[in-house]
Amino acid sequence: ETGVTQTPRHLVMGMTNKKSLKCEQHLGHNAMYWYKQSAKKPLELMFVYNFKEQTENNSVPSRFSPECPNSSHLFLHLHTLQPEDSALYLCASSPGTSLAGGLGPRTQYFGPGTRLLVL
Amino acid sequence: TQLLEQSPQFLSIQEGENLTVYCNSSSVFSSLQWYRQEPGEGPVLLVTVVTGGEVKKLKRLTFQFGDARKDSSLHITAAQPGDTGLYLCAGPASGTYKYIFGTGTRLKVLA
């Protein structure tokens, strides 16, 4: 039990569909992340949120749209995806900033991922 | 640009053998994490090392952080089939919320 949950675990969608991935963390962390992991490729950072504010967008196409309504929830809205977007999408969280305002403990905790197949 | 390179990339060994996986960088990291990932699952945190020269043990797994905090190693004693998986090292990029992930070592332990 990692404290980070993701739904759905598996998703098949057509290129014209709109779907959303959900991530929830129960660890009291302030920072949340979306990663893409394709077969035989390293983890690719997509987005970072700290205290609900987006701090990183790693040149991700606009067909991926993140949303972070609060520090515990993170969504990834998908629209008009391409077959090459098929991958394992991972959510992670970390404590984020320290009480003093600097970067605090930085260990990330991952969810189980959503396996996405775009047809 | 901070990079983490892992070696070997692939490793297939017999049950009972020992092995070492390396994670190297030319940059200093404030901490490094090691994860194990099984197919179709997210990476599971094994350990975080923070202090240069630090050694941590987790049952048959021994983790070491280099004195200069630029490298780390994972040593497995008497490997078992349950150790099979993708081993990833990772560290926080300086001054950002980004994490740098290593290229990974895919380990297969044969019974």
Side-chain angles (χ1 to χ4, degrees), chain A residues 9-23:
Chain A
R9 292 294 312 276
H10 302 273
L11 179 62
V12 180
M13 59 186 290
M15 289 190 283
T16 58
N17 292 157
K18 289 184 181 181
K19 297 287 184 182
S20 295
L21 309 184
K22 178 182 177 182
C23 175

Side-chain angles (χ1 to χ4, degrees), chain A residues 52-73:
Chain A
K52 304 187 298 178
E53 298 297 321
Q54 189 179 123
T55 58
E56 300 284 348
N57 177 338
N58 211 29
S59 302
V60 180
S62 59
R63 58 185 183 270
F64 295 92
S65 175
E67 179 190 0
C68 189
N70 55 62
S71 292
S72 298
H73 293 86

Side-chain angles (χ1 to χ4, degrees), chain B residues 39-93:
Chain B
E41 299 291 332
V44 175
L45 178 70
L46 297 174
V47 77
T48 297
V49 287
V50 179
T51 306
E54 181 178 5
V55 176
K56 282 192 173 179
K57 291 191 175 184
L58 185 66
K59 297 183 180 178
R60 292 176 294 100
L61 279 59
T62 301
F63 304 86
Q64 185 163 6
F65 201 11
D67 291 340
R69 292 185 288 132
K70 292 183 178 181
D71 55 85
S72 182
S73 64
L74 158 60
H75 182 78
I76 301 179
T77 303
Q80 298 178 0
D83 296 326
T84 294
L86 177 67
Y87 287 81
L88 296 164
C89 65

Side-chain angles (χ1 to χ4, degrees), chain A residues 25-43:
Chain A
Q25 59 95 0
H26 313 274
L27 301 169
H29 290 166
N30 302 318
M32 297 187 77
Y33 309 76
W34 279 117
Y35 286 89
K36 174 184 178 183
Q37 188 177 37
S38 306
K40 301 179 181 179
K41 290 178 68 174
L43 279 167

